[in-house]
Amino acid sequence: MVVEAVSGTSVDRDYGLKRTIYVAGRIPVHLIVDPVVGHCVLLTEPAGAGEEADYRAQRITKFGDPVPLDLLGVELDTREFQRLPGVRPHSRP
């Protein structure tokens, strides 16, 4: 499992470049914690090869709701996660 925390300057890297790298490496769970927009993106089920590789499953959970991490048998409590103040929201994922 890989966890990324998005900053105001890392949006494109975290949602684009790193997603490509992790799926190519067959990382089974990629969690993006995004305080810019206040949600978590859980990517699972890597499939494909090369430029066609991507995660087949994507689950978006807003801060405050639990993120189920089934492969680990736990839920991530996000009730205390907060948005970054003063950072313009983006339109990802």
Side-chain angles (χ1 to χ4, degrees):
M1 176 178 183
V2 171
V3 179
E4 291 292 336
V6 176
S7 73
T9 60
S10 71
V11 173
D12 291 332
R13 272 192 322 273
D14 293 336
Y15 281 101
L17 177 63
K18 290 182 180 180
R19 178 178 179 151
T20 302
I21 291 168
Y22 298 147
V23 75
R26 311 299 287 175
I27 302 298
V29 180
H30 177 191
L31 177 63
I32 302 170
V33 179
D34 191 337
V36 174
V37 293
H39 68 215
C40 294
V41 179
L42 180 64
L43 302 165
T44 58
E45 301 178 32
E51 292 182 15
E52 301 300 316
D54 202 357
Y55 288 96
R56 290 185 295 199
Q58 174 177 289
R59 179 184 182 136
I60 299 172
T61 305
K62 66 180 180 182
F63 284 3
D65 294 337
V67 177
L69 301 172
D70 296 337
L71 286 175
L72 300 176
V74 298
E75 286 186 335
L76 176 64
D77 182 356
T78 67
R79 289 179 292 181
E80 294 188 32
F81 289 13
Q82 297 179 13
R83 292 186 62 180
L84 286 173
V87 178
R88 191 178 81 192
H90 57 80
S91 61
R92 297 276 191 149

